[in-house]
Amino acid sequence: IQPEDEADPMNIEQRASHVSLSRWAPISLSQKAKQRVVLNNRRMTFDTEAWTIKNIDDKAVDETYVVERSIGCFVENLLSRALSFTEYSLAESPHDFILFLDDTSRLRTIPLSCLDFSSVETMCIFVNIYHCLFQHALLLSANGPPTKRSIARFMNCTCYEIGDDVFSLAEIEHCVIRARMSRPANNRVSFVSVPKVSHNHYYYALSTFACDARINFFLNTGATSNLGSVSILSPLTMNEQINAACSKFLDKELTIDSKKRLILLPKICDIYRNDFGNGDSNSCLYFCLQFVNSDKQNAILSLMEGNVAAIKFQNFCDTYHLNLSMEA
């Protein structure tokens, strides 16, 4: 679990002070400084629609909820449009993509101080922004999808400016969404981590996913071991959406070889095994069982009789999707 001083959100004044120190700080990768690439700066902030808080006469209405829902609806629409693009549609209708780029600039004016980082709404906002930025970056990649050699730079240097700060894909994933969850347990895997300069972003840690291992199956890292589609999270249907995504992911990545009495779990279970109960392979397997269909459940339970089945993990995947699509 992240150290307490990294995972606890800071107050508004402290957040403001750390921004000036790390906002545009270069990213150190393999002992080389790499500049951030901010993808939502087509328009200046004064040329975008601000998130104004209108006077609310009804005192029973939660002002924070109104602001969050407004931002949430905007981000959901933004992700929907991002997922509608392909490399072919960009050539056929570039004007639609330009309008999308203009609207991403509005993320720069989001009032982060008005968001409740313990709310489901804010969690949905950041998960949707993460997937939007990932798709945005894939669409603009001149050299195709990331590779084993380029994925660290892709994740750490691809950024959106959000409110008064700049967030890379890796910072949103590790410092915001996964901030209160376990660190990787398997150091032999070439997972993408965040450099020390990114640690200030732990101040934006969400508390909603503090103990929810489902995020490992839902958050799309772009690898072909992940689904090629993502859902647009909405607070009212979030649990159903995440459960459905977990089932679809495990239907693909949890495999059985009855002849060899072998069960292969997704590699993500090996990397973040401490998110799953006791952190052993049995705990990972029994967590996964709740999301697979009854036929696969029965087959696994049958193999587990007598404790003679071998539980292993899939190989690490280092190939990536060309772009993402919207989950039907």
Side-chain angles (χ1 to χ4, degrees):
I1 304 299
Q2 303 295 351
E4 186 175 343
D5 59 335
E6 290 181 353
D8 283 343
M10 60 187 341
N11 60 38
I12 297 172
E13 291 77 12
Q14 289 174 311
R15 282 184 182 174
S17 66
H18 101 271
V19 165
S20 61
L21 298 175
S22 64
R23 187 177 185 182
W24 305 107
I27 300 296
S28 178
L29 298 174
S30 301
Q31 299 181 339
K32 294 181 180 179
K34 305 293 184 181
Q35 292 298 323
R36 295 173 181 265
V37 180
V38 180
L39 301 186
N40 65 328
N41 57 359
R42 175 177 159 79
R43 289 190 176 275
M44 301 295 289
T45 53
F46 60 76
D47 199 23
T48 62
E49 183 181 351
W51 302 96
T52 55
I53 302 175
K54 298 180 180 179
N55 293 327
I56 302 175
D57 296 329
D58 187 355
K59 294 183 179 180
V61 176
D62 186 345
E63 196 172 85
T64 299
Y65 170 79
V66 173
V67 176
E68 286 182 342
R69 187 78 288 263
S70 176
I71 295 172
C73 289
F74 172 79
V75 172
E76 288 170 23
N77 177 263
L78 201 64
L79 175 56
S80 175
R81 291 161 63 192
L83 296 174
S84 71
F85 296 118
T86 65
E87 65 275 18
Y88 305 109
S89 68
L90 295 186
E92 294 174 357
S93 55
H95 180 67
D96 290 339
F97 190 65
I98 291 173
L99 293 176
F100 165 77
L101 295 178
D102 287 344
D103 282 346
T104 61
S105 300
R106 195 179 179 207
L107 296 173
R108 300 166 69 189
T109 63
I110 286 180
L112 292 175
S113 60
C114 294
L115 297 181
D116 177 3
F117 281 79
S118 65
S119 73
V120 172
E121 183 76 72
T122 299
M123 183 274 294
C124 290
I125 289 171
F126 272 93
V127 172
N128 287 335
I129 287 178
Y130 169 86
H131 286 141
C132 185
L133 176 55
F134 211 114
Q135 171 75 341
H136 190 162
L138 289 175
L139 292 168
L140 293 182
S141 177
N143 300 314
T147 64
K148 183 179 181 179
R149 295 184 62 183
S150 68
I151 187 62
R153 181 169 183 172
F154 181 89
M155 295 293 291
N156 280 290
C157 295
T158 303
C159 303
Y160 271 162
E161 184 178 353
I162 307 171
D164 293 323
D165 215 333
V166 175
F167 296 79
S168 69
L169 281 166
E171 286 163 348
I172 297 175
E173 178 184 357
H174 295 287
C175 303
V176 181
I177 299 171
R178 283 195 52 90
R180 298 179 186 274
M181 300 182 71
S182 69
R183 294 177 184 242
N186 188 340
N187 294 324
R188 294 171 294 176
V189 176
S190 301
F191 67 94
V192 176
S193 58
V194 290
K196 189 173 181 179
V197 71
S198 298
H199 286 194
N200 281 330
H201 287 77
Y202 282 120
Y203 299 134
Y204 298 105
L206 293 171
S207 62
T208 309
F209 269 139
C211 301
D212 197 336
R214 296 181 302 166
I215 193 60
N216 292 296
F217 306 146
F218 181 80
L219 202 64
N220 200 308
T221 62
T224 51
S225 57
N226 286 117
L227 301 174
S229 59
V230 296
S231 298
I232 301 171
L233 277 191
S234 178
L236 293 178
T237 56
M238 181 199 71
N239 276 318
E240 291 79 6
Q241 289 175 299
I242 293 178
N243 286 339
C246 289
S247 296
K248 192 170 183 180
F249 172 78
L250 290 170
D251 184 58
K252 173 177 178 289
E253 286 297 302
L254 196 162
T255 60
I256 306 168
D257 189 329
S258 298
K259 292 183 178 179
K260 294 182 179 179
R261 300 190 67 84
L262 176 64
I263 301 170
L264 283 177
L265 296 174
K267 190 62 179 178
I268 195 73
C269 292
D270 185 24
I271 297 173
Y272 294 113
R273 58 172 61 203
N274 290 322
D275 286 342
F276 304 93
N278 296 325
D280 57 280
S281 57
N282 280 344
S283 295
C284 295
L285 175 60
Y286 285 116
F287 180 88
C288 294
L289 274 179
Q290 62 186 305
F291 300 108
V292 301
N293 59 53
S294 58
D295 290 340
K296 184 172 281 189
Q297 280 184 356
N298 292 333
I300 291 172
L301 292 174
S302 177
L303 286 177
M304 293 295 290
E305 290 181 0
N307 293 321
V308 294
I311 304 174
K312 297 184 179 180
F313 299 94
Q314 302 279 5
N315 293 326
F316 185 77
C317 177
D318 55 13
T319 58
Y320 296 85
H321 291 293
L322 187 62
N323 57 259
L324 302 174
S325 61
M326 190 187 309
E327 178 63 31

